[in-house]
Amino acid sequence: MISSTLNYTAQSEAQRLEKLHAYHVLDTHPEDNFDNIALLAAQIFDAPNAIISFVDTNRIFLKSNLSGLPHTLSLDRHENLCGVAVLNESVTVFNDTHQHPDLLCSPLVNCENGIRFYAGAPLRSPEGFNMGMLCVTDTVPRQATHQQLEMLKTLSKLIVDKLENRLRYRKNIESQVNLMNMALHEIKNPLASINLANDIILKDPGKAEKMGQMIKSSVIRIQNKLSDLLKQSQEEEKEPVLAREELNLMELFVRLLNNFELLANKKQQIIELNCEDNLPSIYADKAKISDVLHNLVSNAIKYSYKGSVISIDAKKENGYVKIMVKDEGQGLSSDDMGKLFTKFAVLSSKPTGKETSNGLGLSITKSFVELHNGTIEAISEGKDKGTTFIVKFPVHRQAEQKPD
């Protein structure tokens, strides 16, 4: 076999393939941008053939194919020169493939007018993984100059830069979509409270003052949430920064009960609060901790039956504040448990009061908890046996240790 300078382990090969698939370039149509780079490579070498290929698990996909090969051809990775060259750290050159017995098994080498000359530069990702090759070939032996090989390397970098720019653009679009989905998710419950408060005012004008305060509180929550999301959108390239402060959890719990009073009453549900005396404060981002508690209680109401009880318990435990939100709802199946905190998860449980769900709440909740070096888990004995969510936040300001 031709010697190689890279030795991908199973783990690194998996990472390489993950990066390759993130580019979304496999099985795509030819594009002028890639064809123009391949054409330039062929002109630099004054060669008849140039190919831009990407090496998948067991095959080679030809993104740009300026050769006599069929455009729909998918090559076997282990029988192709690019499959060999992709394991080399730098440019691979075979001045005459017939001088390398190991290459003669390749059908593209031993066929009539097969490849005699090959020069290929790896398409190397910023992480150091070779995604594929930019190569030029000829049907006769020949020599390549140092300048030609350096230009081939430069062109290969242009291809990777193009792929990286597309990846960043796609991630930016996905980030904006996620922010929009988060905004829609976070304002649903305040809007529902406003709608209920308005209905109560219409039926009983004597409650206008109390319901007016409820509406004002909900509007402020929507405004703050949209402001936070706008700020997050502007700073999405930066690492998440928490606006930490000393938080009195009891104050958050009381506000939480007030916010959900109307929604719980509509389903004749009772929310019980049981907090340990002298519950310690935590050093955390108030808005994000409020969102965590808001999402958990919202789900408990949404997936619990009419007339059921929802309990919120909080106590100090081994340097952490442990918060449990328990409902008497539909519970979770083993399949649900496996995908519980993933984005847009579709679970077996359905809202019991015709509420809507987009599958984002628990994913957002988990990310906020982990930003605070906390943990979150769910416990359920099965369908129709309720669910308990357990969240732990460190009490100390710089706590890094995770609970057992």
Side-chain angles (χ1 to χ4, degrees):
M1 290 296 292
I2 301 299
S3 62
S4 61
T5 57
L6 295 177
N7 182 22
Y8 285 124
T9 64
Q11 180 179 3
S12 60
E13 174 66 1
Q15 293 171 335
R16 187 191 75 83
L17 291 171
E18 182 180 5
K19 179 70 176 185
L20 173 61
H21 295 160
Y23 283 141
H24 292 285
V25 71
L26 296 177
D27 300 316
T28 56
H29 295 292
E31 298 177 51
D32 288 343
N33 288 333
F34 290 95
D35 286 345
N36 289 337
I37 294 176
L39 178 61
L40 183 56
Q43 291 172 341
I44 290 171
F45 281 80
D46 192 22
N49 307 312
I51 292 174
I52 297 174
S53 63
F54 292 92
V55 181
D56 200 2
T57 309
N58 293 309
R59 62 165 182 147
I60 294 175
F61 167 69
L62 307 183
K63 175 61 177 175
S64 180
N65 180 12
L66 305 185
S67 73
L69 296 174
H71 283 269
T72 58
L73 182 65
S74 182
L75 303 174
D76 187 298
R77 173 176 178 176
H78 305 291
E79 296 181 353
N80 186 269
L81 295 182
C82 288
V84 174
V86 79
L87 295 175
N88 291 327
E89 189 169 354
S90 190
V91 177
T92 299
V93 180
F94 299 115
N95 295 320
D96 185 356
T97 58
H98 287 193
Q99 300 301 313
H100 301 274
D102 290 343
L103 296 180
L104 293 176
C105 63
S106 171
L108 298 182
V109 172
N110 60 29
C111 65
E112 184 179 358
N113 294 322
I115 297 173
R116 293 293 296 271
F117 169 78
Y118 176 96
L123 306 178
R124 196 168 180 82
S125 76
E127 297 83 4
F129 298 121
N130 287 353
M131 302 290 104
M133 300 296 297
L134 166 63
C135 68
V136 293
T137 69
D138 204 340
T139 57
V140 296
R142 54 187 298 172
Q143 298 286 328
T145 68
H146 175 74
Q147 184 179 17
Q148 286 174 324
L149 297 179
E150 287 300 309
M151 295 178 74
L152 191 67
K153 289 167 61 177
T154 299
L155 292 178
S156 73
K157 292 177 182 177
L158 289 178
I159 295 171
V160 174
D161 287 345
K162 182 174 293 294
L163 293 171
E164 285 292 315
N165 287 335
R166 289 186 176 186
L167 182 59
R168 280 192 291 270
Y169 175 76
R170 189 160 50 249
K171 286 184 175 180
N172 285 338
I173 295 298
E174 290 174 356
S175 176
Q176 294 300 323
V177 171
N178 285 338
L179 286 172
M180 180 185 69
N181 286 327
M182 288 174 63
L184 293 174
H185 177 270
E186 295 297 339
I187 66 177
K188 282 193 307 180
N189 287 321
L191 286 174
S193 294
I194 291 173
N195 188 47
L196 285 174
N198 182 65
D199 289 343
I200 292 174
I201 292 174
L202 292 176
K203 294 177 181 179
D204 187 353
K207 295 183 179 179
E209 182 176 355
K210 180 180 179 180
M211 293 300 103
Q213 290 298 319
M214 179 73 71
I215 291 173
K216 182 178 180 180
S217 175
S218 296
V219 169
I220 291 174
R221 178 174 176 80
I222 292 173
Q223 290 174 332
N224 290 340
K225 179 51 59 180
L226 293 178
S227 176
D228 289 344
L229 290 173
L230 178 60
K231 183 178 179 181
Q232 184 177 340
S233 175
Q234 294 169 342
E235 300 180 351
E236 61 184 6
E237 296 292 332
K238 303 178 182 178
E239 289 294 320
V241 177
L242 298 177
R244 292 182 183 268
E245 60 180 293
E246 205 77 24
L247 292 187
N248 184 323
L249 288 172
M250 275 302 301
E251 293 180 0
L252 291 184
F253 288 139
V254 170
R255 186 174 302 148
L256 191 71
L257 295 182
N258 290 335
N259 288 340
F260 282 105
E261 179 183 358
L262 292 180
L263 293 177
N265 287 343
K266 183 180 179 181
K267 298 178 74 172
Q268 299 177 18
Q269 295 169 340
I270 298 174
I271 303 178
E272 296 180 344
L273 177 61
N274 304 296
C275 284
E276 185 178 68
D277 292 338
N278 300 318
L279 188 68
S281 299
I282 60 174
Y283 188 67
D285 187 309
K286 185 176 183 180
K288 288 182 171 54
I289 298 299
S290 295
D291 287 342
V292 168
L293 300 176
H294 193 274
N295 282 332
L296 293 180
V297 175
S298 171
N299 278 352
I301 292 174
K302 187 182 301 181
Y303 294 100
S304 292
Y305 299 109
K306 183 178 179 180
S308 60
V309 176
I310 298 162
S311 63
I312 304 173
D313 296 271
K315 64 179 180 179
K316 182 179 179 181
E317 184 179 274
N318 299 326
Y320 287 78
V321 171
K322 179 180 179 181
I323 302 170
M324 295 184 292
V325 178
K326 182 178 181 180
D327 64 53
E328 299 174 345
Q330 301 170 60
L332 299 169
S333 66
S334 57
D335 183 57
D336 291 335
M337 297 293 282
K339 55 186 178 182
L340 191 59
F341 296 104
T342 59
K343 281 185 180 180
F344 306 110
V346 178
L347 306 181
S348 61
S349 298
K350 304 299 178 185
T352 58
K354 297 183 180 180
E355 301 96 336
T356 59
S357 176
N358 57 19
L360 271 175
L362 288 178
S363 173
I364 297 170
T365 297
K366 186 174 188 289
S367 66
F368 287 173
V369 170
E370 291 178 345
L371 278 175
H372 288 84
N373 298 318
T375 63
I376 181 170
E377 63 176 320
I379 297 175
S380 178
E381 295 182 1
K383 295 303 297 178
D384 289 323
K385 295 185 177 180
T387 305
T388 300
F389 283 90
I390 303 174
V391 182
K392 294 181 180 180
F393 293 112
V395 173
H396 302 296
R397 292 175 61 142
Q398 304 300 330
E400 297 292 340
Q401 180 183 358
K402 302 284 186 182
D404 295 332

